[in-house]
Amino acid sequence: MTLTADQIALFKKDGYLIVKDVVSPDLLRAIRGEYDGVMDQLYDDWFAQGLVTDPAEGLDFWAKLDRARAAGVEWFQPLDISLPHADITEDTPFHFGPAVFDLVTHDPILDVVETVLGGELTSNPIQHVRIKPPQRDVPEGETRAHIGVTAWHQDRGVGHPLADETDIITVWIAVTDATVKNGCLRLIPNPPDEMLPHCPQIQTAIPDAHLDQDRAIDAEMTAGSILLIHPLTPHCSGPNTSDGYRWSFDIRYNVSGQNTGRQQFPDFVARSRAQPQTELRDWRTWLGQWEQARTTAATSPHIDQHRWQADSPFCA
Ligand SMILES: O=C(O)CCC(=O)C(=O)O
Ligand SMILES: [Fe+2]
């Protein structure tokens, strides 16, 4: 699926673009199936440790996740397609499997991204799954934007300065429908040419005075649709006020050879028109690279991502 000239022009002007029905229903099913399997295994482990008490029989993915949350089990990190910012150990769990690899290398997504960034595409390691429960059930003190609300930011502003010049695009993928009610993304179109100030608050956030929130739009999306986000487009997401979960992946691509901004985590060539033989095709290699990165991170000093100072005049 390539973008039309009109869509490319819209993306350049608005700094975002929703493209409907990009991820095939088969792949969406495979992803849900893969996560079912991951959850089955996790739940069995939690049950064996006595962390959850209801037997697994008859419980689906969501029921198991509900039980884990109610029991205060750390459920997010073992489902994420990344490592955390800090405190990585050899035992830090994550999820890398064939279906998520197929998502990151899904030709219809790469076709769309190629129309914007060209045919030499690296899968950038800044990537997450977000399976957001109803906000009323999010424990107080849980500040991760992977679980609850996301504060206003530009993706360049929450990345490493080494990637400021990198041609990079965020692809936000709806696995469930995303609606205002369940906390879809909000974006402010026509982004500025520069980075706005960010402040280290609960999350790294653009102060209100630098946001024209009256112009914000809600990116409601159907499952399987994707949202392209330019690195300077301010965006956030509101609380999930529905009774169900809001499930998305956000992945990124940059022009190959440029700095990913997270060099301690592995990137790979997702598409190369010039040298197709350099494309990674085996998910096990991907998993192995992340295992290696985890081992290295567990024994290396912490790398700070953020450049913003709380005592800057913008943050008063
Ligand atoms: O899904 C969200 O709530 C935030 C996503 C986001 O900020 C991103 O994908 O860059
Ligand atoms: Fe973002």
Side-chain angles (χ1 to χ4, degrees):
M1 186 184 292
T2 53
L3 298 179
T4 64
D6 282 354
Q7 284 175 307
I8 297 170
L10 255 186
F11 176 68
K12 293 215 164 110
K13 178 170 85 62
D14 289 346
Y16 79 94
L17 182 73
I18 295 172
V19 192
K20 274 180 74 69
D21 300 330
V22 174
V23 182
S24 71
D26 276 353
L27 181 50
L28 281 178
R29 247 189 310 278
I31 286 169
R32 292 197 197 96
E34 184 166 292
Y35 270 84
D36 282 345
V38 174
M39 181 58 79
D40 287 348
Q41 189 128 42
L42 285 169
Y43 196 87
D44 288 349
D45 290 348
W46 294 329
F47 186 78
Q49 294 171 55
L51 295 173
V52 291
T53 48
D54 287 342
E57 282 72 49
L59 302 182
D60 66 6
F61 177 90
W62 302 116
K64 289 178 177 178
L65 186 45
D66 284 343
R67 302 291 187 288
R69 287 195 304 102
V73 172
E74 166 49 29
W75 55 272
F76 170 73
Q77 184 54 43
L79 301 178
D80 198 16
I81 55 170
S82 190
L83 283 160
H85 270 300
D87 303 324
I88 298 167
T89 71
E90 280 285 5
D91 299 324
T92 302
F94 50 39
H95 172 63
F96 293 90
V100 280
F101 183 74
D102 285 350
L103 182 68
V104 174
T105 58
H106 195 40
D107 275 323
I109 295 180
L110 293 173
D111 291 344
V112 167
V113 176
E114 180 173 351
T115 46
V116 181
L117 289 185
E120 303 303 318
L121 298 175
T122 284
S123 164
N124 184 288
I126 303 172
Q127 57 188 20
H128 292 287
V129 70
R130 300 184 204 240
I131 303 179
K132 298 197 179 190
Q135 186 71 29
R136 59 161 192 259
D137 296 340
V138 174
E140 218 163 302
E142 172 55 77
T143 58
R144 284 176 286 181
H146 319 119
I147 295 172
V149 296
T150 303
W152 283 103
H153 66 281
Q154 294 162 306
D155 277 359
R156 187 173 295 169
V158 295
H160 197 284
L162 283 170
D164 281 359
E165 309 295 320
T166 296
D167 298 303
I168 183 169
I169 192 168
T170 299
V171 179
W172 192 98
I173 302 159
V175 179
T176 53
D177 291 349
T179 61
V180 171
K181 195 169 170 63
N182 73 10
C184 67
L185 285 209
R186 275 174 81 69
L187 305 102
I188 302 182
N190 311 104
D193 298 334
E194 287 172 352
M195 201 133 56
L196 298 170
H198 288 63
C199 295
Q201 300 171 347
I202 296 173
Q203 297 165 9
T204 302
I206 303 169
D208 280 351
H210 294 266
L211 290 167
D212 187 0
Q213 289 190 38
D214 291 346
R215 294 199 297 112
I217 64 97
D218 294 303
E220 293 204 304
M221 292 164 63
T222 49
S225 303
I226 68 171
L227 164 66
L228 308 182
I229 311 173
H230 184 277
L232 290 174
T233 304
H235 57 283
C236 72
S237 66
N240 177 359
T241 59
S242 78
D243 295 326
Y245 288 84
R246 192 218 82 176
W247 183 352
S248 62
F249 289 95
D250 44 280
I251 60 180
R252 286 157 191 76
Y253 300 93
N254 61 266
V255 171
S256 293
Q258 300 183 351
N259 197 299
T260 64
R262 225 169 259 186
Q263 289 168 294
Q264 70 276 32
F265 291 167
D267 56 72
F268 68 85
V269 174
R271 172 167 288 177
S272 174
R273 293 298 182 190
Q275 292 179 288
Q277 74 280 7
T278 61
E279 293 173 3
L280 185 64
R281 298 274 162 77
D282 187 351
W283 71 272
R284 288 178 204 83
T285 307
W286 192 45
L287 168 62
Q289 289 169 343
W290 279 91
E291 288 170 340
Q292 182 59 50
R294 176 171 60 190
T295 301
T296 306
T299 53
S300 310
H302 176 62
I303 299 174
D304 199 5
Q305 286 298 125
H306 292 138
R307 63 185 94 187
W308 307 103
Q309 307 301 326
D311 58 3
S312 100
F314 303 115
C315 304

